[in-house]
Structures are given as structure tokens and as C-alpha cells.
């Protein structure tokens, strides 16, 4: 039966869930942590296993392997033993082991890029391996939900080191086929096997020879097996002559068999038993698997499920399926080992980082226990890597170099898992797996984003995958995709009542693939697709046609020939204009999605990602409660990130080409849409998303033009993590313009945040840092800021921060040397008399300060009068706020006696000014009302009562009816505020 016929007769989409149930339950865990020396090595061996690994074990602790070395082995002859001793004494195999260990210790770029916690010296957790059979591969398994799969115990579990044990019939296994879908960890397990052998933990074999089937597929020239081995591993020159002539226990590893087109028919591949006879590499593989060449050698083959049937069952001793982390305990262990590494927290306080790491692990474990969608996602070890990498990016990023973007993490993640693989090596189109995913799964993702849905029915899948299937080749590709790749991107929904729908395994992956679908230009009408194809054809032949027409026109003077030629050239030009409009449409889509008003008051995207991984603490939603609307704010950000030069280069390796000209034209079109729309005021969370978009875009000229228009930046109440601070600093560094106002009120800032933002703060005229728990360490940073010769800060608000006496000392030093500050608010900062005294001592050296707020700081008469005496002599300072301090009646009378025209300063202490109402009574009451949620209510009530007494006393002393009316009005406002305080409504 042809593969197309098989695809047409295959089961419905929903039965793809059934294959998930083949392997569930706990498994013995192997943890690797010891270090092993290694040196640099060959690029070829890095290709043997590709770049798909999650982590590479460097040592081994607590192995629970099998006792395969005790199984029956044929006795060797005296001659063979002698040869083997000679080989061993030469040290060739030891050199080979050392080289393999060094080569396999190399990390992929992605591992080195995303933090020290993901180094190859980290730990490794083995996924579940289940013994299978060809019948089970071809026959669908019972339909189970993800939750049932995770709770069901896995049967026939086998460890990596027991794969070559005797089978159920007592026969010695010589050939093992190890298969699994994309992302289950096939390459990582093979790396573990090789490293275990290099360090003596696989005594069953005396020699291991790994081959990359991808590498073999690129060579068609005849070569002998012995020449092939020495070509790849020169240290084995002395070992190769005894291959096939001694009882040397050899293991051949054939990684990625799906890359090879093997023909086991005698008419297609002739028999060959001579290791010295040159034959094509595919013929060597076929004869090794036939056991016609080196029949005593053991072979392990890794492949995707679709290629398992390429090897006839009679040549296979054992089938084994890699089932990933089908037990949540394995997932928890992986996260604990990854996130608890001492180096995970990066620079900074080790104790603080350690506590944060433990908190992350705890929150993640609780989310896994709820059997949320993340539990189904982490069924694949590769997604566990993505989760850890994303958390490292969110929590432990202190600076953001261009290589570290969220889009870069997802693009690199796809390169780790697909690395330019073709979907089906037997298909003549050789379409890359990622290109096929972008065209099909990307279409599904885009339709979901546009309709704001995340759950997809069978009908949705059929419309995206099957509606345009017309040829046998297309049906074959669909069959391969369904068996090998489908589970990597889509999995059954775990929400009650939605078990028969599919969701994207990682929610953000839907937005990434939708963005890729749009940027690649796959979102075209039929007319656009036909027009593009015709334009390319006409463009290719236009030059040849020109030559022919020129010759004909000289022989036959026909005037219509030049006209015909010009008509042929019109169509490509016209289509290029249509392509330009397509670029405008992409930019317009990006702008519309980036500035959707219905998303204005959601959390910023970084907080949304954090919640999707760690969950939301609190009671679970009732099943009958209406769900929130789906939010897709990452979609436009990923569109911008994919257009960055680095991500385009990686996508090019995956077969998804985005030309420089296309990226340039989209960026040009974005200036008309994105930058114009950003001019209108954005809420803080939306502004943070916009800044993050600019960071992801990685276009310095575009970012500079966009940032130059931002004169006022308000990020109030946005939790400014180290990553967000770094993003803000990075984006603002593209220009050097002054910022009129930067509002960072209630942003969870600390001293390290101020250090990161230092270059930005220097350029801000008005700086709002209220409600940030900034203590003395932060005040030291602020002192350095204010003393910097490029500082332009004129207004600084530090209200409701625990500045304290030591912090006041730092700020006083800053006042003495600063030349730009005119307004300083230290309202409710815990200064006390000593802090105020420190301010007063240095205030005389300042020549520019115009207003100083020391309200609600527990100042007594001595400190308050000391500050006022210094203020009298200050040539610019004309206003000092001293309300809500512990000032006595004598102090009040002394402060009341101040006159602006005589003393040059006004002290705002009470709501009265002698026998009249103070001009600033409304300002004082507004300050109280704004800050009441952060102040001690009992103390506020006491101060308001004192203000009320002062108002009543001043009213009784005044004979002017107009003034009495003003007093009564202010008294009513104070009484109203006191009433609300007592009722708890304020």
C-alpha cells in the first residue's frame, strides 16, 4: 500500500492523542554531576548528534543499569585475544575515548548563551524508555487524556544500559531501534551513552563508533567501512585492521536514520561482507543492519517514528520508545536540579539569589501538581529546557546583550530541535521541517490569534492541514508530520470539558508561529500566490526572450516585437509594487496588534509569560465561571523580533528565508504606522510592552527614532524586574536626548535597579521614585547620580521610601554638590531629627534648590526651626513643607511668624497662616489623601484632629466674615476626611 493510501485511511486527528499513552509512569532517575576534563575537538562529532541536546552529563552518580555484561558471549580464540591485547596496549581506544569525551563535552551555542545554569557540567535526568514492538507502532493505542497519561504507570520500562539485554525469548539482542518524536531527547540519550562508555560505565562494549546519518547522507562516493572509520576517527587506525577478525565487542551508533534513504532489496543494495570493499555509505549501513557485514557488532539506531518501518523487522532485536518525562516527579527533579545550581542566580547577592531560586522551584512544583497545561508541555524534555531558559531570562538577567531576546530564545529553541532537518528525506521537494511547520501550524496559529482562541477542534485542524492536499507527495508529508512533529507543537487540552480539543503545547509558541507565518509572507491570497509564481517565471526567462526578440527583429522587421518584450517586463514590475503593499500590510498588522486598546490595561507581556509558567497564586477558577478573554500581546513583539538580523540568520538555517530587502521594507513601512501610533499616550504596562518590542526588534536606527519622540515616560506600578530595567536602559541608550519626566512610582526598585538605570536617570529632568522601598544603599546611588557632571535632574520625588538617617546623609552630600536640582520631596522617609540636621548642615552649600518637602518625618521643633533658619539664608529656597511633624505650639508660633517678603521663605506646616487660611491648604489635604494607603491611619487621624483644632482656634480669633467662611469650608473638608477614615471608606 502506498504511503498516500495509508495517509488517507489513517485515523482522525483526535486519535493522535492515543499515541501519547504508550509510556507513562515513574522511572529510575540517573543524575550526572561529576566533572571530566576535555579539550576541543572536531566539528564532525558535533554533527553526529546535532545540536538538540538539553544537557550533557559529565559524570555519573547512582546508576541503576542492567547486568548485560553477564549475558552469554561466544568465547574468543587465542589469536583474537592476542590481537585484542595488542590493540589495548597501544592505547588507541583510550585516545578514542578521550577524544569522544572532549568532543561531546562541547555545548551548543544556545546552552552557552542563556546563562551558566545551562552549562554542560550541569545535571541530567533520564527520560522514560519503554520497550515496544513494531505491532504497537503500527497499531493505535487506547484513547487517554493527558491527565490520565501522566497518572498511569508505564509498563515495560527499560533503562538505557539494558537495551542490549537478552529478549523475552532468551536471544541476545544485537540491533536496537530507539525512536521518539521531536523533542523527546533521542540525541541527549545517545550522548549520555557515549560519555558513559568514555568513562568506563558501559563495560559491555570495548569500542563505540558513532556515525551521523546526516553526515553519511551527503556522501555518495564508494568507501570501505574501515576507510570510513579511520576517516572519521583517526585514533582508530590501529584498531580498524582487527574489525571483523577478532571478538572485539563493538557498538555502532547510527544517529538520525530518517536522514538516509535505505533500500534493503537485493536489487537495490548488493550484499557486502568485506569491510575493505568500497561501497556507498548507505550500502554499508544496510549491510551492517542485515548482519552481513560484521555480524558480531552491536548496533543502536535512533530515528523518528515515521522512519522505523524503513528497517525490516527481521533485522531488529528490540524496539524502544523514548517517552519523555511522563512522570511529573521527573519534571520536578529536572527543574530542581537545573534551577538550584549555584551559578543560576548570576551576579549579585548569593543569599538573595539562592532564596529566589528556591522560591521559583517551589512555585513551579505547585503549578505542575495542579496538572495544568504546563505539565503536558513538560512531557517533552526539550520544553523543560525552554521553561528553565525562559525563567533564567526573566529572573536572572542583569544585562541584555543583543543575543538575549525572548524571540531569540524561541528561535534558538527551534534550531536546537530541528537544526535544518527536512521533513521527509524520501520526498523530492526536500522541504525543511520548520518551513512546513510555518506554512501549516503557522496558519492554524495565525487564525487562532485573529479569532482570539487557543483551543482547536478536529475541524480546525483539517481546514489547516488537509484542505489543500491534492497530490500524493503532500499526503505523504502530512503523514510524516503527524507521526513525528505534531505532538511537539499541539497537545490535547487538559481543561475539563475540552479534552477533545487541541492547544499549543506552550501558549507563547502559538504567537511565535503566527508571527513567523505573517513575516514569511505565507498569508497570501490565491491571486498573490499565482502572481508571485508567474513573476518569478517571467523574470527568469525575460533575458533569454530579449536576446531572441532582438535577433528576430533584425531578420524580420516586425514592429510589434519590441512592444511584446516591454509587455513581458511590465508584469514583474507591477508585481513588485504589489509586494511593497504586502510589506505595508505586515507593518500595519504589527501596529494594530501592538496598540490594541482592549489590551491596554493587562499586565505587561513579561509578567504574562511569568504567570503562564509559574501559575497564578490563589483559589482556582470555578468550572462554571466565564473565562477571561485570550490575550495575544506577544504576537506583534515576536513579529518584530523575527525581523532582527540574528533571528533571520538562524531561521535561514531552518529553511525559513527572510530576505534583507524584505526586512528593510517592513521596517520602513513600520515608521509610518508603529511610531505614529506610539505618539498617543500609552498606559504604563502598554508602554513597557512597546519598549520591549523595540528591544526585540534589534534595529538601532528604528529604535532611536521611536525613542526620540518619548519625552515623558510613565511606568508607574510596573514591577521593574532586573530584566525590565535592562530593557529600558538598553532601548534608551540608542539616543542621548533629555527626558522631561520619568515616573517609576511603585516599581519595586532597589539599589541594583538604580545602578542599571543610571545612564537613563542622568537625562531625566523630573524623576519620580516614590513607593519603592529605597533605603540607604539606594540613596548612595542617588548621591552619585546627583553629583555626576552630566546630571540634569531638576525635580526628585522620594516620598514613602525608608531613606532613614544614613540615607539622609548621602542625600545631604548630594545637595551640597548638585547644580541642577530645584525640587526635592522627602515626604514620609523616616528622616527624624538627625536626618533633618544632616540636610540642614549641607543645605547652605546648595545654590539652586527652590522647594524642599520634609513632611511626615517626626521632626521636632529644634530640627524644623534649624532647617528654616538655613532656608532663610538660602538665595533660591522659598518653600519648605513641614506638615504632619511633631511640632509644638511654640514651634508653630515661630513658624507662623515667617513672612515671605521679610524672611524669603514660606513654611507649610498647618492649614492656617495666622488669622487666615493658608493658600496651600488644598495641596496639603491632597497630599494626605494620595498617600493615605501608605501611611499609619491612626497617626494621620491624630494629625488631622490637630489641624481641625488649629482651624477652629484661628476662626475664633478672626472677625472677618469672609475669612470665617473660608475656615468653615476647610473645616468641613477635614471633618469629611476624618469621617471617612473612621468608617474605613477612605
Amino acid at each position: 500500500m502506498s504511503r498516500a493510501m495509508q495517509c488517507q485511511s489513517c485515523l482522525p486527528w483526535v486519535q493522535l492523542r492515543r499515541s501519547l499513552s504508550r509510556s507513562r509512569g515513574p522511572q529510575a532517575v540517573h543524575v550526572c554531576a561529576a566533572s571530566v576534563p576535555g579539550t576541543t575537538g572536531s566539528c564532525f562529532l558535533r554533527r553526529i548528534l546535532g545540536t538538540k541536546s538539553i544537557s550533557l552529563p559529565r559524570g555519573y552518580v547512582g546508576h541503576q543499569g542492567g547486568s548485560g555484561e553477564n549475558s552469554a558471549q561466544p568465547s574468543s580464540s587465542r589469536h583474537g585475544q592476542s590481537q585484542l591485547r595488542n590493540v589495548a596496549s597501544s592505547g588507541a581506544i583510550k585516545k578514542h575515548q578521550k577524544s569522544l569525551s572532549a568532543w561531546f563535552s562541547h555545548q551548543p551555542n544556545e546552552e552557552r548563551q542563556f546563562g551558566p545554569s545551562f552549562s554542560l557540567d550541569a545535571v541530567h535526568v533520564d527520560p522514560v524508555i519503554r520497550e515496544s514492538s513494531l505491532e504497537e507502532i503500527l497499531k493505535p493505542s487506547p484513547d487517554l487524556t493527558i491527565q490520565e497519561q501522566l497518572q498511569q504507570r508505564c509498563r515495560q520500562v527499560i533503562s538505557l544500559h539494558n537495551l542490549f539485554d537478552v529478549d523475552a525469548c532468551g536471544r541476545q539482542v544485537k540491533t536496537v531501534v530507539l525512536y521518539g518524536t521531536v523533542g523527546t531527547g533521542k540525541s541527549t540519550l545517545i550522548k549520555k551513552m557515549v560519555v558513559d562508555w568514555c568513562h568506563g560505565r558501559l563495560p559491555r562494549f570495548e569500542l563505540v563508533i558513532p556515525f551521523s546519518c546526516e553526515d553519511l547522507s551527503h556522501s555518495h562516493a564508494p568507501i570501505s567501512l574501515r576507510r570510513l572509520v579511520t576517516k572519521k576517527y583517526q585514533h582508530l587506525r590501529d584498531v580498524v585492521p582487527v574489525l571483523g577478525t577478532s571478538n572485539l565487542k563493538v557498538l555502532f551508533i547510527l544517529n538520525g536514520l530518517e536522514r538516509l534513504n535505505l533500500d534493503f532489496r537485493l536489487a537495490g543494495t548488493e550484499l557486502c561482507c568485506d569491510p575493505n570493499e568500497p561501497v556507498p555509505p548507505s550500502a554499508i549501513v544496510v549491510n551492517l543492519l542485515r548482519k552481513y557485514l560484521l555480524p558480531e557488532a552491536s548496533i543502536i539506531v535512533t530515528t523518528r517514528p515515521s522512519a522505523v518501518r524503513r528497517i525490516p523487522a527481521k533485522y531488529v532485536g528490540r524496539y524502544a520508545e523514548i517517552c519523555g518525562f511522563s512522570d511529573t516527579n521527573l519534571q520536578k527533579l529536572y527543574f530542581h536540579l537545573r534551577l538550584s545550581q549555584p551559578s543560576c542566580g548570576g551576579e549579585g547577592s548569593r543569599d538573595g539569589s539562592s532564596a529566589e531560586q528556591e522560591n521559583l522551584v517551589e512555585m513551579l512544583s505547585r503549578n505542575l501538581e495542579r496538572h495544568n497545561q504546563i505539565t503536558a508541555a513538560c512531557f517533552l524534555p526539550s520544553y523543560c529546557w525552554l521553561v528553565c531558559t525562559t525563567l533564567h531570562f526573566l529572573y536572572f538577567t542583569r544585562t541584555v546583550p543583543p543575543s538575549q531576546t525572548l524571540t531569540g530564545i524561541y528561535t534558538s529553541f527551534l534550531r536546537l530541535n530541528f537544526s535544518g532537518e527536512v521533513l521527509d528525506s524520501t520526498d523530492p521537494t526536500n522541504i525543511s521541517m520548520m518551513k512546513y511547520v510555518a506554512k501549516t501550524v503557522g496558519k492554524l496559529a495565525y487564525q487562532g490569534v485573529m479569532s482570539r482562541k487557543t483551543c482547536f477542534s478536529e475541524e480546525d485542524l483539517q481546514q489547516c492541514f488537509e484542505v489543500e492536499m491534492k497530490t500524493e507527495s503532500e499526503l505523504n508529508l502530512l503523514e510524516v508530520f503527524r507521526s513525528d512533529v505534531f505532538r511537539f507543537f499541539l497537545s490535547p487540552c487538559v481543561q475539563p470539558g475540552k479534552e477533545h480539543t487541541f492547544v499549543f503545547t506552550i501558549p507563547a509558541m502559538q504567537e511565535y508561529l503566527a508571527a513567523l507565518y505573517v513575516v514569511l509572507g505565507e498569508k497570501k491570497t490565491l491571486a498573490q500566490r499565482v502572481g508571485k509564481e508567474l513573476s518569478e517565471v517571467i523574470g527568469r526567462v525575460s533575458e533569454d526572450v530579449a536576446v531572441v526578440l532582438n535577433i528576430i527583429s533584425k531578420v524580420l522587421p516586425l514592429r510589434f516585437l519590441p512592444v511584446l518584450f516591454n509587455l513581458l517586463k511590465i508584469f514583474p514590475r507591477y508585481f513588485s509594487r504589489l509586494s511593497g503593499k504586502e510589506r505595508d500590510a505586515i507593518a500595519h498588522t504589527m501596529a494594530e496588534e501592538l496598540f490594541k486598546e482592549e489590551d491596554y490595561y493587562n499586565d505587561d507581556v513579561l509578567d504574562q509569560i511569568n504567570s503562564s509558567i509559574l501559575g497564578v497564586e490563589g483559589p482556582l477558577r470555578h468550572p462554571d465561571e466565564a473565562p477571561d478573554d485570550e490575550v495575544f500581546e506577544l504576537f506583534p513583539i515576536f513579529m518584530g523580533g523575527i525581523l532582527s538580523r540574528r533571528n533571520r540568520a538562524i531561521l535561514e538555517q531552518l529553511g525559513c528565508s527572510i530576505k534583507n530587502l524584505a526586512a528593510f521594507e517592513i521596517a520602513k513601512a513600520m515608521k509610518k504606522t508603529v511610531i505614529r501610533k506610539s505618539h498617543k499616550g500609552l498606559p504604563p504596562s502598554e508602554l513597557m510592552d512597546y519598549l520591549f518590542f523595540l528591544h526585540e526588534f534589534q534595529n538601532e536606527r528604528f529604535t532611536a527614532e521611536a525613542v526620540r519622540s518619548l519625552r515623558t515616560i510613565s511606568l508607574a506600578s510596573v514591577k521593574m524586574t532586573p530584566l525590565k530595567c535592562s530593557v529600558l536602559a538598553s532601548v534608551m541608550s540608542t539616543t542621548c536626548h533629555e527626558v522631561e519626566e520619568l515616573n517609576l512610582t511603585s516599581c519595586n526598585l532597589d539599589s541594583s535597579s538604580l545602578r542599571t538605570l543610571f545612564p537613563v536617570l542622568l537625562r531625566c529632568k523630573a524623576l519620580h521614585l516614590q513607593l519603592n522601598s529605597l533605603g540607604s544603599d539606594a540613596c548612595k546611588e542617588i548621591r552619585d547620580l546627583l553629583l555626576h557632571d552630566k546630571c540634569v535632574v531638576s525635580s526628585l520625588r522620594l516620598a514613602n521610601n525608608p531613606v532613614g538617617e544614613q540615607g539622609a546623609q548621602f542625600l545631604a552630600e548630594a545637595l551640597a554638590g548638585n547644580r541642577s536640582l530645584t525640587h526635592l520631596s522627602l515626604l514620609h522617609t523616616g528622616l527624624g531629627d538627625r536626618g533633618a540636621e544632616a540636610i540642614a548642615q549641607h543645605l547652605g552649600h546648595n545654590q539652586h534648590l527652590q522647594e524642599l518637602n520634609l513632611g511626615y518625618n517626626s521632626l521636632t521643633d529644634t530640627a524644623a526651626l534649624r532647617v528654616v533658619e538655613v532656608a532663610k539664608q538660602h538665595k533660591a529656597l522659598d518653600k519648605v513643607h513641614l506638615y504632619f511633624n511633631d511640632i509644638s505650639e511654640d514651634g508653630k508660633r515661630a513658624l507662623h511668624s515667617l513672612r515671605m517678603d521679610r524672611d524669603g521663605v514660606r513654611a507649610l506646616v498647618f492649614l492656617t497662616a495666622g488669622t487666615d487660611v493658608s493658600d496651600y491648604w488644598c495641596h496639603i489635604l491632597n497630599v494626605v489623601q494620595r498617600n493615605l494607603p501608605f501611611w499609619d491611619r491612626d497617626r494621620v487621624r491624630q494629625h488631622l484632629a490637630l489641624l481641625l483644632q488649629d482651624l477652629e482656634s484661628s476662626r475664633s480669633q478672626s472677625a472677618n466674615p469672609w475669612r470665617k467662611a473660608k475656615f468653615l469650608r476647610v473645616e468641613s473638608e477635614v471633618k469629611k476626611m476624618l469621617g471617612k477614615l473612621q468608617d474605613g471608606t477612605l
Side-chain angles (χ1 to χ4, degrees), residues 548-549 552-554 556-566:
V548 174
L549 290 178
I552 293 175
S553 63
K554 291 177 181 178
L556 300 173
L558 301 177
R559 297 183 179 181
F560 71 88
L561 291 178
V563 175
L564 177 62
F565 176 63
N566 290 329

Side-chain angles (χ1 to χ4, degrees), residues 22-36:
R22 297 175 186 168
S23 53
R24 310 289 173 255
Q27 160 74 354
V29 179
H30 307 269
V31 181
C32 307
S35 63
V36 178

Side-chain angles (χ1 to χ4, degrees), residues 51 58 60 91 97 117-118 211 220 227 315 437 538 540 598 649 671 708 735 780 808 816 905 923 949 961:
T51 55
R58 302 289 303 276
Y60 182 76
Q97 289 176 327
S117 62
F118 304 125
F211 282 124
H220 302 286
R227 177 72 185 98
Y315 299 132
V437 167
I538 294 173
R540 284 195 296 267
E598 56 262 40
K671 291 182 180 179
R708 204 172 287 119
T735 67
K780 189 175 181 181
V905 65
H923 169 77
Q949 291 177 10

Side-chain angles (χ1 to χ4, degrees), residues 862-883:
T862 304
L865 293 172
R866 169 77 172 121
V867 170
V868 170
E869 286 300 321
V870 176
K872 284 182 181 180
Q873 303 172 13
H874 197 287
K875 69 175 185 179
L877 185 61
D878 61 3
K879 195 181 301 178
V880 179
H881 299 250
L882 293 171
Y883 40 81

Side-chain angles (χ1 to χ4, degrees), residues 343-502:
S343 56
C344 183
E347 299 177 359
S349 172
R350 180 169 298 181
D351 295 337
S353 295
S354 177
E356 191 168 25
Q357 290 169 247
E358 292 176 4
N359 185 47
L360 280 180
V361 173
E362 178 63 26
M363 291 179 68
L364 193 53
S365 295
R366 287 201 298 268
N367 203 20
L368 290 171
E369 288 169 0
R370 299 187 190 108
H371 291 291
N372 286 339
Q373 201 65 47
I374 189 175
T375 312
C378 294
F379 175 80
L380 294 174
S382 58
Y383 274 111
C384 294
W385 180 89
L386 179 62
V387 167
C388 288
T389 304
T390 305
L391 286 176
H392 188 277
F393 178 70
L394 292 176
Y395 282 88
F396 305 117
T397 300
R398 300 295 182 250
T399 58
V400 281
S403 60
Q404 289 199 12
T405 63
L406 186 66
T407 314
I409 289 176
Y410 275 76
T411 308
S412 299
F413 168 71
L414 292 173
R415 193 182 80 86
L416 276 172
N417 286 277
F418 294 97
S419 61
E421 290 188 39
V422 296
L423 182 60
D424 184 6
S425 61
T426 63
D427 186 78
T429 61
N430 273 334
I431 184 172
S432 76
M433 192 180 295
M434 197 61 229
K435 180 70 172 179
Y436 187 87
V437 167
K439 294 176 66 174
T440 54
V441 187
K443 180 181 178 182
L444 181 72
Y446 174 74
Q447 291 179 353
V449 169
M450 291 297 100
S451 58
R452 299 181 80 84
K453 71 176 183 179
T454 57
C455 294
F456 303 93
S457 64
E458 285 189 66
E459 290 74 19
D460 296 327
L461 299 180
Q462 290 171 356
Q463 289 178 5
C464 285
F465 291 96
E466 298 179 1
V467 70
E468 296 181 2
M469 296 294 151
K470 297 178 180 179
T471 66
E472 183 174 3
S473 175
E474 291 173 336
L475 293 173
N476 290 340
L477 290 175
L478 178 60
E479 180 191 8
V480 173
F481 169 79
R482 289 173 63 168
S483 63
D484 296 351
V485 190
F486 181 85
R487 286 194 293 171
F488 185 83
F489 292 104
L490 293 158
S491 60
C493 184
V494 300
Q495 295 180 21
K498 296 183 179 181
E499 292 84 354
H500 297 289
T501 61
F502 291 89

Side-chain angles (χ1 to χ4, degrees), residues 926-942:
N926 284 336
V927 168
V928 174
Q929 190 162 3
R930 284 198 308 268
N931 291 278
L932 193 58
F934 321 107
W935 290 358
D936 183 346
R937 288 176 174 259
D938 290 336
R939 186 170 180 185
V940 170
R941 192 179 294 110
Q942 293 175 7

Side-chain angles (χ1 to χ4, degrees), residues 771 800 827-828 856 884 924-941 944 976-978 980-982 984-986:
L771 295 165
N800 300 307
L827 175 70
H828 191 222
Y856 203 159
F884 276 34
I924 295 174
L925 290 183
N926 284 336
V927 168
V928 174
Q929 190 162 3
R930 284 198 308 268
N931 291 278
L932 193 58
F934 321 107
W935 290 358
D936 183 346
R937 288 176 174 259
D938 290 336
R939 186 170 180 185
V940 170
R941 192 179 294 110
L944 287 176
K976 187 186 301 182
M977 189 174 291
L978 276 170
K980 289 183 178 180
L981 268 176
Q982 292 174 354
T985 57
L986 186 62

Side-chain angles (χ1 to χ4, degrees), residues 261-272 282-283 286-287 290 310-312 314-315:
N261 295 326
L262 303 181
D263 189 349
F264 281 84
R265 299 173 303 155
L266 290 177
T269 305
E270 64 177 340
L271 296 174
C272 175
S282 60
V286 168
N287 282 291
R290 284 172 173 168
R310 295 185 189 179
I311 306 175
K314 62 182 178 181
Y315 299 132

